[in-house]
Amino acid sequence: GTSRAGELVLFDITKGRAEADGVIQRIPGYGQKVEPIIVDQLVDDSWPKFLFPAPLDENYFIASVKLTPNSPWALYLVDTFDNMVKIREEQGYGLFEPTPIIKRPQPQTQPNRVDRDSKQSNVFVTNVYVGDGLKDLPRGTVKKFRVFTYNYGYRGIGSHDYFGMESCWDARRIMGEVPVYEDGSASFVVPPNMPVAIQPLDDKGRAVQLMRTWFVGMPGENQSCVGCHESQNSVTPSSMTIARGKAPTPITPFLGKERPFSFKYEVQPVLDKYCVGCHDGSEGKQDRPNFADKSAGHRGFSKSYHALHPYVRRPGPEGDYHLLKPMEFHTSSSELFQMLEKGHYGVVVDNDSMRKLYAWADLNVPYYGTWIEIANKMNRNHISGVAARAAELRSLYADIAFDPEVKPYEGIELPENIEFIKPEKVKLDYSAPTIPNWPFDLQTAKSLQTKENQTVKVNDNVSFELAWIPSGKFVKGDDGGFADELPRTAIEVNKPFWMMTTEVTNKLYNQFDSQHDSRYIDQWSKDHTHPGYPANKPEQPVIRVNWNRANEFCKWLSDKTGKKFRLPTETEWEWACRAGTATPMWYGDLTADFGKFENLSDMQTTKFVVRGVNPQPINNPPKEEAFIPRAEGVDDGSMIASEVKAYQPNQWGLYDMQGNVAEWTASNYAPNDERKVVKGGSWRDRPKWSRSGIRRPYEPWQTVFNVGFRLVCEE
């Protein structure tokens, strides 16, 4: 038992260890279900209050109880039927920590697993793919663990926004990497008495899951886990693994010695080498992010930091506390890395520099690497003494003989006068063939639809509409689009088809998978009382469904209705989206006001800037804090994904084709590339990234925060 909201709560850990899963009863509250609640100062106004429950058996407890604000703490016999019998009360005194004493057998002595003379602790992972943390990831995806440690804040300093914008609470020191074998096993060495966190990395060095806790190994201790966020009630299997047959691996340094990870030392040199030649704020370049300005800006972070971090999506210091979907914040879902993969004016960043960018993103885009840098910025001079005392205690009691705040970057070279590598000039050919009678106007588009919409009934409560999409020929890709949209060629859709007028909703998808939860979009700042902004309302489009699962839904729906449903091909999707238009957006060009037509990134994103307990949006937030790239001056009325049909449809009656959420297609991204094409944009994208021709690659097993799907039905 424990105390919750001033009440005694009984747990059965065999029923679960997360939130209220294992709760079997609240006292008082016989026969009532206990709901999980997140509220600051939860117990302040709840009476009676309980402390130190000592169980006598499964029904009876002795506890310290304070009945009212004016009552003394007294000892009571409490039972699971809400009875309370006073045992002892002393006016002027509080009676605490009742300890029943009975004769009991001496417990078996456990052998000491700690060797105080050892300078290491060994970690063994049986199979990283076991558990929900990496659910659905193919075996072999994880190649390494990134290993890092935290340097926690000192008394008198600390906040969620000191290390970066929507970044991390504490300083992060990158220690290095260790191998993960083909079967998912790993065995490696970590220093003892230090908080250690690991991140599973793919073949490019990108984290496929974020560990938001840590573990500590004692000297000489062997510690293990079964997998990634496996149930705490599970045990390590006795099966042989590759790691069992090998000695624990030392940590391999990450591009240099162990060090604090900061923007100044890790990321700015990459910008100097590859970006500042075209992004320096000089005449004619003021409309581009300025990566050359290293002067202090908002909150003391460099202006170049403020120019770059908005293009990286991350969970922030207090995001949704539930287990993240695998790859929820994978760098492939951030505009910076999408742009570099697509080919940004010939820029080719070397592998080591990309690994640093990936690490910076995975570590929540920190600016500073140490607390002393923050203390110096804020004139908190006492912190150096506090840090020195903390280092003294670490040395005395944990045998850690270094101070992370004294010469933290000693031996780490900060290059100066980095020579900018001018990319080879790439000339993209946007020429396009001429197609008779294309593009065509609204009247022609309507005339080609020779069949009325039809309604498909799934059950008495759920149905959806299909629109008739005629066959035809068009030019794929947009003038001024990315290289992966080229060459612009004439493409023919040979057969007409039916297409869902809306994206698949949560309500519809839950008929297939009642356990799926599209969950929430992260809330910024701190002091949250709920997980975020709900994306799981019935009429919102379903998200965080991977391509494989979307195809399983197609089969289920086909069997359910007797019709043949499938994902559209990339060609079918673009043809249906354009509906006869050659402009980048079905409603016009990139500068057109999309407020009535699509849910894209607009002024509503400024509402992510919040303050207070149960934080709420503030008026006129600083531009550096309202940093999601957006279309200035446009207000479409939706902060995140809206209910379907909230905006006007295109010429063929299709809603949300270029906004709300992006959509899976059936097509591979490229020959010999099993990644699948996602089309359209979302509430998080500007028009440039939502064009008819835009295409993004995602793994078929990857769930994405702003990707859903709609289906076509063959005639």
Side-chain angles (χ1 to χ4, degrees), residues 438 474-475 477-478 574-583 586 651 692-693:
W438 187 88
F474 73 106
V475 176
D478 292 312
E574 187 169 337
W575 164 250
C577 175
R578 290 186 179 279
T581 63
T583 51
W586 65 261
Q651 292 84 337
S692 298

Side-chain angles (χ1 to χ4, degrees), residues 279-296:
H279 291 269
D280 61 359
S282 60
E283 186 175 352
K285 302 176 184 177
Q286 294 92 337
D287 60 334
R288 307 172 187 174
N290 184 348
F291 299 140
D293 192 345
K294 302 172 188 176
S295 62

